[in-house]
Amino acid sequence: MTRPMLTQREAAAACGVSRSTIRRRREAGELPGSVEDPVRGWMIPVDALLAAGFRLNAPAPPDSDTSPLPEAGSGVVPGGGQDAAALRAELDRVRAEHALALAEAQFEQRLAAAEVGHLRAQLAERGERIADLQRAVAALTPAPARAVLTPETEGMAVPNQGGSEPVREESGGRWQWRGGRS
């Protein structure tokens, strides 16, 4: 499993600091393993945050509370902002992990599809090469051998040994053999 990574915004919220603090520490090289994702921006490893001395889910500095009071029965507890911030940070962290896992799966799928295409191209190329080799072998293979006349078979192979060769001629619209045949 890959280690969990947070965006700069998620890291700032989880550590209770500003985004500029996370950015400055990253630029100073204090957050090793940070990588820039083309879609989500800089991704910071949770391990690097801890190694740099940040505390995850640290309480955020108090803000002036200008939010309206929750309605009765809404399940929101006044003064529970610290718990809500921790839950929000955890939710952001889980979302980040999920997005990273999804991106990795999509990348692996694209990589597998590219590999399939490459292998199919190689297979087609090798099929063409095999066909070329088969044509070359056929061109180099001698024609079937003809019967060789030996002294024993010589008399059998030549039908009219004593006389003239038979001649085929046309006579009255028909072809006939003349001479040499008995």
Side-chain angles (χ1 to χ4, degrees):
M1 169 104 186
T2 60
R3 53 189 179 166
M5 310 223 0
L6 303 173
T7 64
Q8 287 186 139
R9 175 178 289 172
E10 294 164 344
C15 296
V17 296
S18 69
R19 283 186 8 195
S20 61
T21 301
I22 298 294
R23 180 184 46 80
R24 281 193 309 271
R25 300 284 290 270
R26 179 187 50 79
E27 289 174 350
E30 296 177 28
L31 300 173
S34 299
V35 293
E36 188 171 11
D37 181 85
V39 176
R40 301 193 68 220
W42 281 97
M43 301 299 294
I44 314 295
V46 172
D47 299 345
L49 292 169
L50 296 172
F54 289 108
R55 282 187 30 215
L56 292 181
N57 300 324
D63 291 335
S64 59
D65 189 14
T66 58
S67 61
L69 291 175
E71 295 180 21
S74 67
V76 177
V77 180
Q82 291 176 353
D83 291 334
L87 290 174
R88 215 173 290 118
E90 178 66 14
L91 177 63
D92 289 342
R93 183 189 64 76
V94 169
R95 282 181 178 161
E97 286 179 11
H98 176 71
L100 185 61
L102 180 62
E104 287 176 353
Q106 289 171 340
F107 175 75
E108 288 173 3
Q109 184 181 16
R110 286 191 302 270
L111 188 63
E115 181 69 15
V116 165
H118 175 72
L119 290 174
R120 284 187 176 152
Q122 277 186 336
L123 186 60
E125 189 177 295
R126 288 184 180 168
E128 290 172 10
R129 177 73 176 139
I130 288 171
D132 288 345
L133 290 172
Q134 286 173 336
R135 284 190 293 273
V137 167
L140 295 174
T141 302
R146 294 196 174 145
V148 177
L149 296 178
T150 62
E152 298 91 36
T153 61
E154 197 171 314
M156 297 182 341
V158 180
N160 188 9
Q161 290 187 11
S164 64
E165 290 290 320
V167 177
R168 186 174 175 211
E169 21 176 80
E170 186 176 5
S171 170
R174 296 181 65 205
W175 287 96
Q176 295 180 346
W177 289 101
R178 184 177 59 83
R181 279 199 156 184
S182 323

